[in-house]
Every structure is written in C-alpha cells, then in structure tokens.
mmCIF file of all heavy atoms in Angstrom:
data_model
loop_
_atom_site.group_PDB
_atom_site.id
_atom_site.type_symbol
_atom_site.label_atom_id
_atom_site.label_comp_id
_atom_site.label_asym_id
_atom_site.label_seq_id
_atom_site.Cartn_x
_atom_site.Cartn_y
_atom_site.Cartn_z
ATOM 1 N N SER J 1 27.841 97.551 91.541
ATOM 2 C CA SER J 1 28.370 98.704 90.891
ATOM 3 C C SER J 1 27.830 98.894 89.500
ATOM 4 O O SER J 1 28.363 99.715 88.724
ATOM 5 C CB SER J 1 29.850 98.799 90.844
ATOM 6 O OG SER J 1 30.513 98.835 92.132
ATOM 7 N N ALA J 2 26.691 98.174 89.134
ATOM 8 C CA ALA J 2 26.395 98.212 87.724
ATOM 9 C C ALA J 2 25.247 99.242 87.386
ATOM 10 O O ALA J 2 24.802 99.352 86.282
ATOM 11 C CB ALA J 2 25.724 96.713 87.522
ATOM 12 N N SER J 3 24.792 99.877 88.530
ATOM 13 C CA SER J 3 23.678 100.815 88.291
ATOM 14 C C SER J 3 24.108 102.065 87.452
ATOM 15 O O SER J 3 25.292 102.427 87.449
ATOM 16 C CB SER J 3 23.232 101.362 89.724
ATOM 17 O OG SER J 3 22.288 102.372 89.422
ATOM 18 N N GLU J 4 23.210 102.553 86.700
ATOM 19 C CA GLU J 4 23.431 103.785 85.836
ATOM 20 C C GLU J 4 23.376 105.052 86.785
ATOM 21 O O GLU J 4 23.945 106.034 86.333
ATOM 22 C CB GLU J 4 22.352 103.891 84.767
ATOM 23 C CG GLU J 4 22.382 102.964 83.711
ATOM 24 C CD GLU J 4 21.331 103.159 82.661
ATOM 25 O OE1 GLU J 4 20.278 102.766 82.887
ATOM 26 O OE2 GLU J 4 21.849 103.677 81.583
ATOM 27 N N LYS J 5 22.825 104.892 87.922
ATOM 28 C CA LYS J 5 22.663 106.083 88.781
ATOM 29 C C LYS J 5 23.660 106.037 89.903
ATOM 30 O O LYS J 5 23.927 105.039 90.534
ATOM 31 C CB LYS J 5 21.272 106.132 89.401
ATOM 32 C CG LYS J 5 20.145 106.244 88.290
ATOM 33 C CD LYS J 5 18.855 106.359 88.974
ATOM 34 C CE LYS J 5 17.749 106.546 87.860
ATOM 35 N NZ LYS J 5 16.301 106.478 88.483
ATOM 36 N N GLU J 6 24.430 107.120 90.047
ATOM 37 C CA GLU J 6 25.475 107.212 91.077
ATOM 38 C C GLU J 6 24.809 107.218 92.432
ATOM 39 O O GLU J 6 23.808 107.734 92.722
ATOM 40 C CB GLU J 6 26.275 108.450 90.956
ATOM 41 C CG GLU J 6 27.476 108.606 91.965
ATOM 42 C CD GLU J 6 28.335 109.735 91.512
ATOM 43 O OE1 GLU J 6 28.125 110.577 90.609
ATOM 44 O OE2 GLU J 6 29.315 109.928 92.325
ATOM 45 N N GLY J 7 25.518 106.384 93.368
ATOM 46 C CA GLY J 7 24.879 106.172 94.677
ATOM 47 C C GLY J 7 23.841 105.183 94.928
ATOM 48 O O GLY J 7 23.291 104.980 95.990
ATOM 49 N N VAL J 8 23.425 104.556 93.827
ATOM 50 C CA VAL J 8 22.349 103.477 93.724
ATOM 51 C C VAL J 8 22.958 102.206 93.598
ATOM 52 O O VAL J 8 23.819 101.934 92.804
ATOM 53 C CB VAL J 8 21.396 103.840 92.738
ATOM 54 C CG1 VAL J 8 20.244 102.719 92.666
ATOM 55 C CG2 VAL J 8 20.719 105.191 92.850
ATOM 56 N N HIS J 9 22.532 101.249 94.486
ATOM 57 C CA HIS J 9 22.995 99.800 94.518
ATOM 58 C C HIS J 9 22.490 99.156 93.241
ATOM 59 O O HIS J 9 21.329 99.213 92.875
ATOM 60 C CB HIS J 9 22.308 99.136 95.691
ATOM 61 C CG HIS J 9 23.050 97.851 95.991
ATOM 62 N ND1 HIS J 9 22.943 96.700 95.285
ATOM 63 C CD2 HIS J 9 23.877 97.523 97.139
ATOM 64 C CE1 HIS J 9 23.683 95.670 95.856
ATOM 65 N NE2 HIS J 9 24.223 96.153 96.900
ATOM 66 N N GLY J 10 23.455 98.538 92.534
ATOM 67 C CA GLY J 10 23.033 97.926 91.337
ATOM 68 C C GLY J 10 22.304 96.584 91.638
ATOM 69 O O GLY J 10 22.197 96.034 92.659
ATOM 70 N N THR J 11 21.536 96.084 90.553
ATOM 71 C CA THR J 11 20.765 94.954 90.600
ATOM 72 C C THR J 11 21.161 93.963 89.508
ATOM 73 O O THR J 11 21.875 94.276 88.612
ATOM 74 C CB THR J 11 19.238 95.320 90.512
ATOM 75 O OG1 THR J 11 19.052 95.821 89.125
ATOM 76 C CG2 THR J 11 18.913 96.303 91.447
ATOM 77 N N PHE J 12 20.499 92.834 89.477
ATOM 78 C CA PHE J 12 20.719 91.909 88.360
ATOM 79 C C PHE J 12 20.182 92.403 87.126
ATOM 80 O O PHE J 12 20.643 92.126 86.045
ATOM 81 C CB PHE J 12 20.113 90.617 88.732
ATOM 82 C CG PHE J 12 20.813 89.768 89.847
ATOM 83 C CD1 PHE J 12 20.033 89.201 90.851
ATOM 84 C CD2 PHE J 12 22.144 89.683 89.955
ATOM 85 C CE1 PHE J 12 20.602 88.406 91.854
ATOM 86 C CE2 PHE J 12 22.739 88.963 91.033
ATOM 87 C CZ PHE J 12 22.042 88.438 91.922
ATOM 88 N N LYS J 13 19.092 93.235 87.101
ATOM 89 C CA LYS J 13 18.555 93.886 86.017
ATOM 90 C C LYS J 13 19.683 94.825 85.352
ATOM 91 O O LYS J 13 19.814 94.907 84.107
ATOM 92 C CB LYS J 13 17.282 94.577 86.280
ATOM 93 C CG LYS J 13 16.183 93.721 86.626
ATOM 94 C CD LYS J 13 15.687 92.805 85.498
ATOM 95 C CE LYS J 13 14.530 92.054 85.836
ATOM 96 N NZ LYS J 13 14.137 90.958 84.728
ATOM 97 N N ASP J 14 20.370 95.538 86.270
ATOM 98 C CA ASP J 14 21.373 96.417 85.731
ATOM 99 C C ASP J 14 22.440 95.492 85.022
ATOM 100 O O ASP J 14 23.067 95.989 84.088
ATOM 101 C CB ASP J 14 22.054 97.014 86.881
ATOM 102 C CG ASP J 14 21.078 98.256 87.405
ATOM 103 O OD1 ASP J 14 20.537 98.890 86.664
ATOM 104 O OD2 ASP J 14 21.032 98.399 88.556
ATOM 105 N N CYS J 15 22.806 94.392 85.676
ATOM 106 C CA CYS J 15 23.820 93.411 85.037
ATOM 107 C C CYS J 15 23.362 92.971 83.620
ATOM 108 O O CYS J 15 24.288 92.891 82.668
ATOM 109 C CB CYS J 15 24.089 92.250 86.005
ATOM 110 S SG CYS J 15 24.743 92.642 87.510
ATOM 111 N N GLU J 16 22.096 92.710 83.495
ATOM 112 C CA GLU J 16 21.696 92.321 82.036
ATOM 113 C C GLU J 16 21.932 93.433 81.126
ATOM 114 O O GLU J 16 22.311 93.198 79.931
ATOM 115 C CB GLU J 16 20.188 92.111 82.142
ATOM 116 C CG GLU J 16 19.677 90.796 82.816
ATOM 117 C CD GLU J 16 18.208 90.711 82.761
ATOM 118 O OE1 GLU J 16 17.606 91.225 81.794
ATOM 119 O OE2 GLU J 16 17.631 89.940 83.615
ATOM 120 N N ARG J 17 21.851 94.634 81.532
ATOM 121 C CA ARG J 17 22.190 95.812 80.546
ATOM 122 C C ARG J 17 23.677 95.761 80.147
ATOM 123 O O ARG J 17 23.957 96.230 79.047
ATOM 124 C CB ARG J 17 21.837 97.074 81.264
ATOM 125 C CG ARG J 17 21.954 98.345 80.347
ATOM 126 C CD ARG J 17 21.843 99.628 81.214
ATOM 127 N NE ARG J 17 23.106 99.885 81.790
ATOM 128 C CZ ARG J 17 23.367 99.834 83.065
ATOM 129 N NH1 ARG J 17 22.358 99.391 83.904
ATOM 130 N NH2 ARG J 17 24.501 100.194 83.627
ATOM 131 N N LEU J 18 24.472 95.226 80.904
ATOM 132 C CA LEU J 18 25.994 95.207 80.663
ATOM 133 C C LEU J 18 26.420 94.011 79.844
ATOM 134 O O LEU J 18 27.510 94.025 79.316
ATOM 135 C CB LEU J 18 26.767 95.266 81.949
ATOM 136 C CG LEU J 18 26.619 96.385 82.849
ATOM 137 C CD1 LEU J 18 27.306 96.333 84.022
ATOM 138 C CD2 LEU J 18 26.847 97.724 82.128
ATOM 139 N N LEU J 19 25.574 92.980 79.669
ATOM 140 C CA LEU J 19 26.009 91.839 78.934
ATOM 141 C C LEU J 19 26.533 92.059 77.561
ATOM 142 O O LEU J 19 27.384 91.536 77.043
ATOM 143 C CB LEU J 19 24.885 90.780 79.004
ATOM 144 C CG LEU J 19 24.537 90.249 80.370
ATOM 145 C CD1 LEU J 19 23.341 89.210 80.300
ATOM 146 C CD2 LEU J 19 25.786 89.513 81.037
ATOM 147 N N PRO J 20 25.683 92.915 76.710
ATOM 148 C CA PRO J 20 26.116 93.102 75.342
ATOM 149 C C PRO J 20 27.499 93.840 75.300
ATOM 150 O O PRO J 20 28.338 93.507 74.441
ATOM 151 C CB PRO J 20 24.992 94.084 74.805
ATOM 152 C CG PRO J 20 23.832 93.829 75.614
ATOM 153 C CD PRO J 20 24.352 93.525 77.034
ATOM 154 N N ARG J 21 27.748 94.658 76.215
ATOM 155 C CA ARG J 21 29.129 95.288 76.328
ATOM 156 C C ARG J 21 30.155 94.314 76.551
ATOM 157 O O ARG J 21 31.190 94.324 75.815
ATOM 158 C CB ARG J 21 29.183 96.334 77.396
ATOM 159 C CG ARG J 21 30.618 97.004 77.642
ATOM 160 C CD ARG J 21 30.610 97.869 78.879
ATOM 161 N NE ARG J 21 31.812 98.545 78.937
ATOM 162 C CZ ARG J 21 32.879 98.069 79.727
ATOM 163 N NH1 ARG J 21 32.803 96.857 80.196
ATOM 164 N NH2 ARG J 21 34.014 98.714 79.809
ATOM 165 N N ILE J 22 29.979 93.363 77.391
ATOM 166 C CA ILE J 22 30.953 92.386 77.753
ATOM 167 C C ILE J 22 31.088 91.421 76.515
ATOM 168 O O ILE J 22 32.207 90.970 76.166
ATOM 169 C CB ILE J 22 30.548 91.640 79.003
ATOM 170 C CG1 ILE J 22 30.555 92.558 80.137
ATOM 171 C CG2 ILE J 22 31.445 90.455 79.288
ATOM 172 C CD1 ILE J 22 29.923 91.971 81.379
ATOM 173 N N LYS J 23 29.991 91.013 75.969
ATOM 174 C CA LYS J 23 30.014 90.132 74.775
ATOM 175 C C LYS J 23 30.787 90.822 73.713
ATOM 176 O O LYS J 23 31.700 90.233 72.932
ATOM 177 C CB LYS J 23 28.625 89.778 74.383
ATOM 178 C CG LYS J 23 28.408 89.098 73.055
ATOM 179 C CD LYS J 23 29.018 87.647 73.089
ATOM 180 C CE LYS J 23 28.797 86.918 71.920
ATOM 181 N NZ LYS J 23 29.291 85.507 71.964
ATOM 182 N N ASN J 24 30.490 92.079 73.434
ATOM 183 C CA ASN J 24 31.212 92.784 72.308
ATOM 184 C C ASN J 24 32.694 92.943 72.485
ATOM 185 O O ASN J 24 33.457 93.093 71.531
ATOM 186 C CB ASN J 24 30.519 94.212 72.107
ATOM 187 C CG ASN J 24 29.199 94.031 71.540
ATOM 188 O OD1 ASN J 24 28.706 93.027 70.851
ATOM 189 N ND2 ASN J 24 28.371 95.145 71.756
ATOM 190 N N MET J 25 33.158 92.908 73.743
ATOM 191 C CA MET J 25 34.452 92.932 73.969
ATOM 192 C C MET J 25 35.233 91.557 73.887
ATOM 193 O O MET J 25 36.493 91.477 74.023
ATOM 194 C CB MET J 25 34.758 93.464 75.429
ATOM 195 C CG MET J 25 34.539 94.971 75.544
ATOM 196 S SD MET J 25 34.832 95.672 77.316
ATOM 197 C CE MET J 25 36.650 95.379 77.419
ATOM 198 N N GLY J 26 34.449 90.580 73.595
ATOM 199 C CA GLY J 26 35.021 89.121 73.181
ATOM 200 C C GLY J 26 35.185 88.295 74.446
ATOM 201 O O GLY J 26 35.866 87.250 74.375
ATOM 202 N N PHE J 27 34.462 88.633 75.543
ATOM 203 C CA PHE J 27 34.505 87.740 76.686
ATOM 204 C C PHE J 27 33.449 86.622 76.616
ATOM 205 O O PHE J 27 32.394 86.865 76.010
ATOM 206 C CB PHE J 27 34.501 88.576 78.039
ATOM 207 C CG PHE J 27 35.586 89.406 78.292
ATOM 208 C CD1 PHE J 27 35.523 90.739 77.805
ATOM 209 C CD2 PHE J 27 36.800 88.902 78.776
ATOM 210 C CE1 PHE J 27 36.689 91.601 77.961
ATOM 211 C CE2 PHE J 27 37.840 89.848 78.993
ATOM 212 C CZ PHE J 27 37.802 91.078 78.582
#
C-alpha cells in the first residue's frame, strides 16, 4: 500500500520513500 499512485501495487522502493516520515514521527 506504499505506492503514490492509486491502484498500483507498492514496492520496496516506495517503502524507502516512507522511511523519513516514519523516522520523523519518532519510530
């Protein structure tokens, strides 16, 4: 569910994009 595009299967590359968000939330 990490893809920026609706209806598109997320990838590990998409997950990399989310890491700063998770880090900034303190996890």
